[in-house]
């Protein structure tokens, strides 16, 4: 039987060349036609023809030619990626709060909005608050739904490769399994669901401590432990989206549950204050309100022995969690992320000291600089990945 070899047709070549040029321009500033020829290896005629296509599609803008009195002939054409040709949304749907970032096509934040969801009783109510927060963010920037190309959404539940939420656990069922469909119906753009810790890993590799690190684990360590895992630069999902779930910690000696750094510090601080025999400045810091994890870290910083003991316990427990990730997945780097990350920097020396006794190949440990925006920043990156993959099929609206 004769084998027919596929050949590249002119439309296909044009599409391939357009993707190549768009990739160069989206990561650069203003470029001349000559610069694009050098960067892509394409001919001058091809570069100019494809740039004309990209201009008509809205992806590229042509600037006035730069003046050069020494040049002979026509001035060089200058091109720039149209970063405001569309927008993406990065949405973090947490257990207590929803945060929405509106970003341009370079990932720069244009607007931000947030609302509490701690009082919601049903998944549908949570989805309605998410919708209202989206509307607020868009309105504050004067951006319409038609200008949005995609939305990345992070939830504190496993999400499989097809964007389906796993609802086997009671906590996971708090997130609406019909969330993506409902938001698409309301707004018209694709909604890309992903696990929050996975998005945190995307954020860290994009703009955090994990830049240029392909074997990476990000440990969300606030109220509950959750991890996002990258192997050779690829997110790990598992068969049903459960890769990185931390329920196994219930079986780990010295850990016993999925409670994160903030919860353990808060609970132990409250227990110390409740005991009249314990002398601690936490009693003064707390006043009439409940003890917070931040107060425990503050008390430890002032030298309070009780608070220091709490943080030593937290550090040893966290080291066990990091060690299990190091043994199972062997990442180069583990980043502690979430709202508690900056305070957790004080734990690093003790964590590293404990790690050496738990594994012979301990990973490096760092704290995230992205703060509580880590998931929403990762959601922006997730949406941008979609846009870049489908760029030549998307219709940009003039902003």
């Amino acid at each position: 039987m004769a084998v027919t070899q596929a050949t590249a047709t002119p439309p296909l070549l044009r599409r391939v060349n357009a993707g190549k040029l768009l990739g160069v321009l989206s990561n650069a500033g203003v470029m001349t036609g000559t610069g694009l020829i050098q960067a892509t290896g394409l001919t001058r005629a091809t570069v100019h023809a494809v740039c004309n296509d990209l201009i008509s599609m809205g992806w590229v803008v042509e600037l006035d030619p730069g003046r050069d009195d020494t040049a002979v002939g026509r001035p060089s054409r200058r091109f720039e990626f149209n970063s405001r040709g569309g927008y993406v949304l990065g949405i973090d749907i947490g257990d207590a709060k929803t945060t929405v970032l509106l970003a341009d096509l370079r990932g720069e934040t244009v607007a931000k909005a947030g609302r509490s969801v701690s009082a919601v009783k049903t998944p549908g109510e949570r989805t309605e608050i998410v919708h209202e927060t989206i509307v607020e963010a868009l309105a504050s920037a004067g951006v319409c739904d038609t200008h949005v190309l995609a939305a990345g959404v992070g939830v504190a539940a496993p999400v499989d490769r097809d964007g389906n939420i796993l609802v086997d656990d009671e906590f996971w069922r708090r997130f609406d399994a019909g969330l993506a469909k409902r938001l698409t119906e309301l707004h018209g753009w694709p909604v890309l669901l992903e696990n929050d810790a996975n998005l945190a890993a995307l954020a860290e590799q994009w703009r955090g401590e994990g830049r240029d690190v392909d074997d990476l684990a990000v440990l969300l360590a606030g109220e509950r432990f959750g991890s996002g895992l990258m192997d050779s630069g690829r997110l790990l999902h598992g068969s049903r989206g459960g890769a990185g779930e931390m329920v196994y910690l219930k079986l780990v000696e010295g850990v016993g549950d999925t409670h994160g750094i903030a919860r353990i510090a808060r609970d132990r601080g409250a227990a110390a204050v409740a005991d009249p025999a314990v002398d601690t400045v936490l009693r003064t810091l707390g006043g009439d309100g409940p003890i917070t994890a931040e107060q425990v870290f503050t008390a430890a910083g002032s030298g309070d022995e009780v608070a220091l003991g709490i943080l030593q316990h937290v550090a040893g427990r966290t080291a066990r969690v990091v060690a299990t990730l190091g043994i199972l997945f062997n990442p180069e780097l583990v980043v502690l992320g979430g709202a508690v990350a900056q305070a957790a920097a004080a734990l690093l020396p003790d964590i590293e000291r404990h790690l050496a006794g738990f594994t012979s190949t301990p990973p490096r440990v760092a704290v995230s600089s992205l703060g509580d925006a880590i998931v929403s920043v990762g959601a922006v990156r997730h949406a941008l990945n979609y846009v870049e993959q489908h760029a030549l099929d998307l219709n940009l609206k003039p902003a």
Side-chain angles (χ1 to χ4, degrees):
M1 178 183 296
V3 177
T4 302
Q5 185 175 359
T7 59
T9 62
L12 177 60
L13 282 175
R14 191 89 157 214
R15 186 179 180 88
V16 170
N17 292 335
K20 184 182 294 186
L21 280 169
L22 192 57
V24 171
L25 283 165
S26 64
N27 290 296
V30 176
M31 294 194 70
T32 63
T34 301
L36 287 171
I37 292 167
Q38 294 171 345
T40 63
L42 300 174
T43 67
R44 181 173 298 275
T46 297
V47 164
H48 286 285
V50 173
C51 280
N52 289 338
D53 290 343
L54 293 173
I55 290 169
S56 67
M57 295 172 67
W59 285 106
V60 172
V61 293
E62 183 171 3
L63 307 179
D64 291 335
R67 180 174 178 177
D68 185 354
D69 294 332
T70 65
V72 178
R74 296 177 60 186
S76 297
R77 296 178 70 185
R78 300 193 306 151
F79 306 99
E80 185 176 27
F81 178 69
N82 186 13
S83 62
R84 294 295 175 96
Y87 299 87
V88 297
L89 289 166
I91 306 171
D92 175 13
I93 306 178
D95 187 42
K97 182 181 179 181
T98 284
T99 302
V100 174
L101 293 185
L102 176 68
D104 66 18
L105 296 181
R106 290 194 190 274
E108 300 303 320
T109 300
V110 176
K112 179 179 180 179
R115 295 194 181 190
S116 171
V117 293
S118 57
V120 301
K121 295 181 174 61
T122 68
E125 290 176 349
R126 187 185 302 271
T127 299
E128 183 60 27
I129 291 178
V130 173
H131 161 65
E132 293 170 357
T133 312
I134 291 168
V135 171
E136 179 183 343
L138 293 177
S140 68
V143 172
C144 300
D145 274 333
T146 54
H147 297 150
V148 176
L149 302 180
V153 179
V155 293
V159 179
D160 67 19
R161 295 182 185 91
D162 297 322
N164 301 308
I165 298 176
L166 185 63
V167 292
D168 294 13
D169 181 89
E170 181 180 353
F171 180 80
W172 300 338
R173 283 194 291 273
R174 299 182 188 184
F175 301 94
D176 187 357
L179 171 72
K181 180 180 178 182
R182 177 62 176 152
L183 290 180
T184 297
E185 289 173 348
L186 288 168
H187 299 281
W189 22 256
V191 176
L192 315 167
L193 285 184
E194 183 56 274
N195 171 259
D196 56 356
N198 284 350
L199 293 181
L202 286 180
E204 285 299 325
Q205 193 187 50
W206 181 35
R207 290 190 168 170
E209 302 300 315
R211 276 174 284 198
D212 301 320
V213 177
D214 287 335
D215 297 296
L216 171 69
V218 174
L219 187 63
L220 293 182
E223 290 297 308
R224 287 163 54 104
F225 279 123
S227 66
L229 307 170
M230 295 192 103
D231 180 76
S232 301
R234 179 177 60 89
L235 277 176
L236 296 183
H237 286 90
S239 62
R240 300 178 64 198
E245 280 304 315
M246 309 298 281
V247 179
Y248 74 88
L249 292 177
K250 296 177 181 180
L251 308 176
V252 176
E253 182 180 355
V255 182
D257 52 48
T258 61
H259 297 169
I261 290 173
R263 177 163 179 176
I264 294 296
R266 183 180 68 243
D267 289 352
R268 290 212 159 212
V273 169
D275 186 346
V278 174
D279 182 20
T280 173
V281 299
L282 284 170
R283 194 168 284 109
T284 303
L285 289 175
D288 296 330
I291 296 295
T292 66
E294 290 77 10
Q295 290 167 351
V296 175
F297 280 98
T298 298
S302 70
D304 182 78
E305 292 295 330
V306 171
L308 285 169
I310 292 172
L311 294 195
Q312 287 173 3
H313 168 78
V314 170
R317 185 175 180 275
T318 304
R320 290 175 180 268
V321 177
V322 172
T324 61
L325 291 175
I327 293 167
L328 292 171
F329 300 103
N330 194 30
E332 175 186 341
L333 174 68
V334 174
V335 179
L336 302 180
V340 75
Q342 287 305 302
L347 304 176
L348 283 184
D350 278 343
I351 289 175
E352 291 168 347
R353 178 173 56 83
H354 284 291
L355 268 179
F358 293 143
T359 171
S360 58
T361 56
R364 290 191 295 115
V365 184
V367 296
S368 173
S369 59
L370 298 176
D372 60 2
I374 187 171
V375 174
S376 50
V377 168
V380 167
R381 182 64 263 172
H382 190 42
L384 287 174
N385 288 346
Y386 172 88
V387 170
E388 290 171 5
Q389 182 180 355
H390 298 88
L392 301 180
D393 298 313
L394 296 175
N395 182 29
L396 301 191
K397 303 291 183 180

